[in-house]
Amino acid sequence: MPANVSLILTIVIVIVLLSLFFTFVPVGLWVTAFFSGVRIKISTLIGMRLRRVSPSRIINPLIKATKAGLNLNANQLEAHYLAGGNVNTLVDALIAAQRAEIPLDFDRGAAIDLAGRNVLEAVQVSVNPKVIETPLISAVAMDGIEVIAKAKVTVRANIDRLVGGAGEETIIARVGEGIVTTVGSAKSHSQVLENPDSISQMVLTKGLDSGTAYEILSIDIADVDVGRNIGAKLQTDQAEADKRIAQAKAEERRAMAVASEQEMLAEIKKMRSKVVEAESKIPLAIANALENGNIGIMDYYKMENINADTKMRNSISGYDSGTNEKDKK
């Protein structure tokens, strides 16, 4: 009985050890690689495990590349994987480039992939150009009429400029700038509507794909429409602004006139107060003259008669020296 227990325990230990061995050592992957024509050592696969690299992520793309006739090795693919690249996409891109006879080696493809661009998509766009549609672009002709256009730009990826080249946003911005410039140089909006191809021809001659990751093949105006009369609106706004300025200046002049009038009224009252003050001194002066014998009693009576006569005349004519017509009203 103890012998049977020892045998069973030994078998269990052997099974566990074999399971751990086949789990850590990808023998199945090595067999697949061997019969696929990829010569790789078991120790290399074990080393990948120790470097925390999944062997299947390296060996399967390597098998694919070998079957496609590419001269790659496991070290290249593992180095690209450890650098953060997408090994499977890179291999697919190299195979597609080889089939399309596009010059793309492993180092350039790895650089494009590590730069954050989809290298497989770039190769596909090089073979099959794609169309970039711009949003509605508003431009104003010389006659002040707004023209709204939409363009479709056919581009092909430029493999040599994928690293460091500008993307689709730059293409759209440059095409929009070219449309605005071309429409703005047209004498009238009718010329643009009659010949929209002139926009495409003018924009293409500007070399808008310079410094970008794409090569522009064609620019087609998909839609063109007439918008607002910007010139008339600007003139209306200018006239309204001039009107407000004139009103403000008129109000300023009116305020200054009112202020000047109030100053004059204050000055009149001031002068009247001086007259009243001077008239209040007349009786005292007359008394002093009588006391000093400078005038006689008859002279005083004559003066009073003259004053009475003057008041009567003023009363008949409706004039009062102490008031004016505005004060009477």
Side-chain angles (χ1 to χ4, degrees), residues 96-97 99-102 118-132 153-159 168 213-218:
R99 295 291 186 268
E101 297 183 355
I102 297 175
N118 191 325
V119 60
L120 178 59
E121 182 182 352
V123 174
Q124 292 173 346
V125 173
S126 297
V127 178
N128 184 22
K130 72 175 181 177
V131 177
I132 301 174
V153 186
T154 304
V155 297
R156 178 172 58 198
N158 191 327
I159 300 296
E168 296 182 14
Y214 298 96
E215 176 186 354
I216 297 179
L217 302 179
S218 67

Side-chain angles (χ1 to χ4, degrees), residues 78 96 115-116 186 302:
E78 185 178 0
K302 287 179 182 181

Side-chain angles (χ1 to χ4, degrees), residues 57-58 61 77-78 80-81 85-92 113:
R57 293 180 178 271
I58 304 300
L77 299 183
E78 185 178 0
H80 185 66
Y81 177 83
N86 191 325
V87 176
N88 192 57
T89 301
L90 175 59
V91 171
D92 289 342
D113 185 48

Side-chain angles (χ1 to χ4, degrees), residues 1-13:
M1 190 67 180
N4 293 335
V5 173
S6 300
L7 179 61
I8 294 173
L9 185 59
T10 302
I11 293 173
V12 171
I13 293 174

Side-chain angles (χ1 to χ4, degrees), residues 157-207:
N158 191 327
I159 300 296
D160 295 332
R161 295 200 302 245
L162 278 175
V163 178
E168 296 182 14
E169 293 79 7
T170 302
I171 294 290
I172 294 175
R174 290 183 179 179
V175 171
E177 179 184 356
I179 292 175
V180 171
T181 303
T182 305
V183 174
S185 61
K187 293 183 178 179
S188 66
H189 69 285
S190 58
Q191 292 182 354
V192 179
L193 296 177
E194 291 172 2
N195 189 17
D197 292 341
S198 61
I199 301 177
S200 303
Q201 296 171 1
M202 184 68 68
V203 173
L204 277 174
T205 59
K206 293 181 178 295

Side-chain angles (χ1 to χ4, degrees), residues 3 5 11 16 46 60 63 65 89 117 123 147 155 166 174 187 189 241 246 254-255 263 272 295 298 312-313 317 319:
V5 173
I11 293 173
V16 171
I46 296 174
N60 289 333
I63 293 173
T89 301
R117 295 188 181 274
V123 174
V147 177
V155 297
R174 290 183 179 179
K187 293 183 178 179
H189 69 285
R254 188 190 70 81
E263 289 178 359
R272 283 180 180 173
I295 62 173
M298 294 304 296
M312 181 183 66
R313 291 176 184 274
S317 64
Y319 174 79

